[in-house]
Amino acid sequence: MKVEGSAMGEKRKAVEGRKKYEQERIARRRGGGGGFGRPPRVRRVLAGSSSAAIQRLFEVCMAVFKGPRTVPSPEDVQMLQLVLDKLKPEDVGLSTDLPFFKDRSTAKETPAITYTNIYNCDKFSMCIFFLPPTAVIPLHNHPGMTVFSKLLVGTMHIKSYDWVDNYKTDKDAPSAQSRLAKIVENSDFTAPCETSILYPTTGGNIHTFRAITPCAVLDILGPPYSKEDDRDCTYYKDHLYADVAEGDSTGNGRCDNSFRWLEEIEIPKDLKMVGIEYRGPQILDG
């Protein structure tokens, strides 16, 4: 009896197995998806860690940035910094094999910089810049903004300044459009490294990037640039600062490496910026 019952049971299982197979096959046909049979909603839910990482970053940004004329609290800054410090290139779909990391310009040309916008709203923007070796993002400012810069790939030199307040106009200034600034950062950074943070008036609000190797840097600006709200980007050229007051008896001033004259200039003519579509893990907004 036990043997016969076992045989009947195996036959029943085989029949049920065939029915289940047919049901799944029909479901796959109806659902589409290249044979996987998962509708878009299921694919998003079952997304890998990369999507989870960029989604988490977006949600923290939504909580941290309150809009124009606001600066995140120290607690919010720390929260966003921790998320960015853990972010990896693969979390935004990056690889050093991507074409925009390669410098295709001639020796006489300035290397082009590629960028892609991940997200934009009136509170903040998320953008990745791709720099081939020797490419430079010129010295520029971030009026009224708090900026988080995360180097994802490569080695780059970052130089940043803050304005010097309460100084007397110097007759030795290069031009009327020049203003005294103090160097905040002047160092090489190699990924992975800590996130750089600058504030509207401190932390190096005016900065420049120079790629030593192929680089990718994620910039989060809160609030974003806006000409309508007087948050337009201004470019500068830096000049040596001669401290004549501390010169010797002959009147020869000495150079103080902590300061520079920053002269406002037009957008550099050799600056080449090429925008591309963001094709990394998508953000679910709302």
Side-chain angles (χ1 to χ4, degrees):
M1 293 292 294
K2 290 181 179 179
V3 174
E4 183 180 355
S6 176
M8 291 294 292
E10 291 297 326
K11 184 176 181 180
R12 189 179 299 110
K13 290 180 180 178
V15 173
E16 292 174 353
R18 284 195 295 272
K19 289 182 178 179
K20 184 177 181 180
Y21 171 78
E22 288 297 322
Q23 292 172 349
E24 292 176 346
R25 186 166 62 86
I26 293 172
R28 285 197 294 269
R29 286 179 177 176
R30 291 175 178 174
F36 291 96
R38 295 174 180 169
R41 184 179 299 278
V42 177
R43 282 201 296 269
R44 291 191 184 114
V45 172
L46 298 179
S49 59
S50 293
S51 293
I54 195 67
Q55 185 66 28
R56 170 61 177 163
L57 176 60
F58 164 73
E59 292 170 356
V60 171
C61 286
M62 289 295 289
V64 166
F65 295 106
K66 313 299 183 184
R69 294 176 295 279
T70 63
V71 177
S73 68
E75 294 78 15
D76 284 344
V77 168
Q78 183 179 28
M79 178 171 61
L80 181 52
Q81 182 180 11
L82 289 173
V83 173
L84 283 168
D85 284 345
K86 295 178 181 178
L87 198 70
K88 300 176 181 178
E90 53 267 30
D91 292 331
V92 289
L94 290 187
S95 166
T96 53
D97 294 331
L98 294 173
F100 36 70
F101 281 133
K102 297 177 173 59
D103 181 11
R104 297 179 178 177
S105 61
T106 65
K108 295 182 179 180
E109 293 179 336
T110 301
I113 297 167
T114 306
Y115 68 92
T116 183
N117 289 310
I118 300 177
Y119 184 85
N120 289 284
C121 67
D122 60 350
K123 293 183 178 180
F124 68 93
S125 64
M126 301 169 60
C127 182
I128 301 178
F129 293 91
F130 308 98
L131 292 79
T134 74
V136 174
I137 296 181
L139 194 61
H140 62 284
N141 69 342
H142 308 81
M145 306 177 194
T146 303
V147 182
F148 293 74
S149 295
K150 168 65 176 180
L151 182 61
L152 295 167
V153 176
T155 298
M156 69 164 39
H157 187 87
I158 300 177
K159 193 172 186 179
S160 64
Y161 301 87
D162 281 335
W163 295 119
V164 175
D165 295 324
N166 301 321
Y167 77 96
K168 296 180 179 179
T169 303
D170 197 315
K171 61 181 179 63
D172 294 323
S175 70
Q177 289 74 39
S178 298
R179 185 175 171 185
L180 189 62
K182 183 178 179 62
I183 296 176
V184 175
E185 189 65 70
N186 190 18
S187 307
D188 292 345
F189 292 83
T190 300
C193 56
E194 292 185 354
T195 303
S196 172
I197 306 169
L198 59 87
Y199 298 90
T201 59
T202 61
N205 187 277
I206 309 159
H207 67 195
T208 176
F209 295 156
R210 177 174 58 83
I212 298 174
T213 69
C215 293
V217 58
L218 168 65
D219 262 9
I220 300 178
L221 286 66
Y225 285 110
S226 172
K227 290 184 178 180
E228 293 76 12
D229 297 323
D230 295 324
R231 293 194 306 274
D232 197 7
C233 183
T234 301
Y235 292 90
Y236 299 92
K237 180 180 180 181
D238 61 344
H239 301 272
L240 290 177
Y241 172 71
D243 190 353
V244 179
E246 294 186 18
D248 58 27
S249 58
T250 63
N252 294 321
R254 66 178 178 81
C255 179
D256 189 331
N257 291 324
S258 299
F259 297 90
R260 292 289 191 277
W261 291 112
L262 300 190
E263 180 183 11
E264 184 176 332
I265 61 173
E266 298 294 329
I267 298 176
K269 294 181 179 180
D270 59 351
L271 176 60
K272 300 176 182 179
M273 303 284 283
V274 180
I276 61 172
E277 180 184 358
Y278 172 67
R279 295 185 178 181
Q282 297 299 305
I283 290 173
L284 302 182
D285 185 0

